[in-house]
């Protein structure tokens, strides 16, 4: 149901009806009025004006009728009023937010303050309007921060190594030449109160771009080993200090 058809007429139909009544036998005195052109007689102009009034009234009458139904209402206020009939009340609107990056001239060495309320404007797309945003607080800016890169890695911990993604345990090693192979042994010393832990390698994934290697571990082969066993196998196992940063 796209819309209700609720109008009883338009300007053209109203004017035509009133013109036809001029020739009606119910009004014999109007028989002498033979002109029907709006521009020739003020009487016809008056009929045209009332046809306009009726057209406007019926237009808004139809719009009001359509606003009374949720599926075809177009005004937000109408939807809100209909929702209130069943006890629903929408939450207040929240202002939109955006992340802004300021770039200073590389030759400018001093620290500057971007004041609170500094306005920036978006570049609108087709059939859109520009949106204005203001900073919510004073911001410090320096030219050397123009090329500040985000941190791409984080320190490894015993917990992060053991948990991995929840399915596989893994560890990141610096460099891509680790000489590790699937099913090979790996002894990891967590440098804390925990004893070194024995693992077997499940998969080796070198990443030359990041200059590190992801080693996925076989969690089912994980077990604690005694100090004697550690000393006996230390020479033939890869010994890794896991708590250092990549």
């Amino acid at each position: 149901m796209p819309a209700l058809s609720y109008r009883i007429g338009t300007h053209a139909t109203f004017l035509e009806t009133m013109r036809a009544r001029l020739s009606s036998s119910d009004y014999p005195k109007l028989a002498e009025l033979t002109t029907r052109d709006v521009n020739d007689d003020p009487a016809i102009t008056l009929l045209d004006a009332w046809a306009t009034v009726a057209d406007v009234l019926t237009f808004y009458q139809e719009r009001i009728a359509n606003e009374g139904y949720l599926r075809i209402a177009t005004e937000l206020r109408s939807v809100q009023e209909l929702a209130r009939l069943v006890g629903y009340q929408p939450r207040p609107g929240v202002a939109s937010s955006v992340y802004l990056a300021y770039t200073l001239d590389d030759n400018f060495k001093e620290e500057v303050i971007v004041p609170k309320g500094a306005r920036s404007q978006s570049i609108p797309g087709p059939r859109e309007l520009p949106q204005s945003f203001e900073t919510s607080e004073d911001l410090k800016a320096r030219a050397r921060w123009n090329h500040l890169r985000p941190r791409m890695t984080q320190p490894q911990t015993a917990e992060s190594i053991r948990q991995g993604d929840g399915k596989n345990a893994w560890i990141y090693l610096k460099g891509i030449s680790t000489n590790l192979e699937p099913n090979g042994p790996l002894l990891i010393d967590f440098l804390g109160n925990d004893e070194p832990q024995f693992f077997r390698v499940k998969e080796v994934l070198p990443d030359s771009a990041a200059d590190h290697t992801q080693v996925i571990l076989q969690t089912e082969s994980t077990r604690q080993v005694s100090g004697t066993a550690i000393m006996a196998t230390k020479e033939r196992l890869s010994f890794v200090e896991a708590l250092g940063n990549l």
Side-chain angles (χ1 to χ4, degrees):
M1 184 171 61
L4 289 177
S5 179
Y6 203 70
R7 300 183 69 172
I8 62 173
T10 62
H11 175 274
T13 59
F14 288 132
L15 182 59
E16 185 62 28
T17 299
M18 288 187 287
R19 281 175 173 174
R21 295 293 295 273
L22 294 177
S23 303
S24 173
S25 58
D26 296 335
Y27 308 100
K29 292 185 178 181
L30 295 178
E32 299 178 2
L33 182 62
T34 58
T35 181
R36 296 294 184 265
D37 193 340
V38 174
N39 298 321
D40 290 345
D41 192 279
I44 306 302
T45 303
L46 181 62
L47 296 182
D48 179 72
W50 278 108
T52 302
V53 172
D55 181 74
V56 173
L57 288 175
T58 55
F59 170 80
Y60 284 106
Q61 184 183 35
E62 183 180 67
R63 288 307 318 142
I64 292 172
N66 277 269
E67 294 302 311
Y69 296 89
L70 187 61
R71 292 179 58 185
I72 55 178
T74 59
E75 298 291 332
L76 177 61
R77 177 65 180 272
S78 301
V79 176
Q80 291 176 338
E81 294 297 336
L82 290 170
R84 287 193 178 99
L85 295 176
V86 294
Y88 174 79
Q89 185 172 357
R91 291 182 297 178
V94 179
S96 61
S97 61
V98 68
Y99 290 103
L100 297 175
Y102 289 90
T103 303
L104 301 185
D105 189 333
D106 290 334
N107 296 322
F108 193 79
K109 304 302 181 182
E110 302 295 330
E111 179 179 287
V112 298
I113 300 295
V114 179
K116 177 181 178 180
R119 177 171 294 189
S120 300
Q121 195 173 68
S122 65
I123 300 176
R127 293 182 294 180
E128 293 181 349
L129 296 176
Q131 303 296 320
S132 297
F133 298 90
E134 296 181 354
T135 53
S136 57
E137 58 185 24
D138 292 343
L139 302 175
K140 295 181 180 180
R142 300 178 184 176
R144 64 180 181 178
W145 291 348
N146 289 346
H147 307 290
L148 192 65
R149 299 181 60 185
R151 182 176 183 175
M152 305 302 294
T153 61
Q154 61 182 2
Q156 298 183 97
T157 64
E159 183 179 1
S160 69
I161 293 172
R162 293 189 181 106
Q163 290 186 352
D165 61 354
K167 296 181 180 179
N168 295 299
W170 63 45
I171 185 173
Y172 287 96
L173 305 179
K174 185 174 180 58
I176 58 175
S177 300
T178 60
N179 295 323
L180 294 175
E181 297 179 353
N183 207 39
L186 184 65
L187 188 66
I188 302 179
D189 186 355
F190 295 105
L191 298 181
N193 296 327
D194 295 339
E195 293 185 356
Q197 202 164 357
F198 176 85
F199 295 87
R200 285 198 177 275
V201 177
K202 181 178 181 180
E203 190 176 1
V204 180
L205 303 174
D207 186 344
S208 57
D211 192 30
H212 66 222
T213 300
Q214 181 185 17
V215 181
I216 300 178
L217 308 171
Q218 300 180 22
T219 54
E220 63 273 8
S221 65
T222 303
R223 61 185 179 87
Q224 297 287 343
V225 294
S226 65
T228 303
I230 292 172
M231 296 301 297
T233 59
K234 187 174 181 180
E235 294 182 357
R236 60 188 180 86
L237 295 178
S238 300
F239 196 85
V240 180
E241 294 182 355
L243 295 183
N245 293 339
L246 291 177

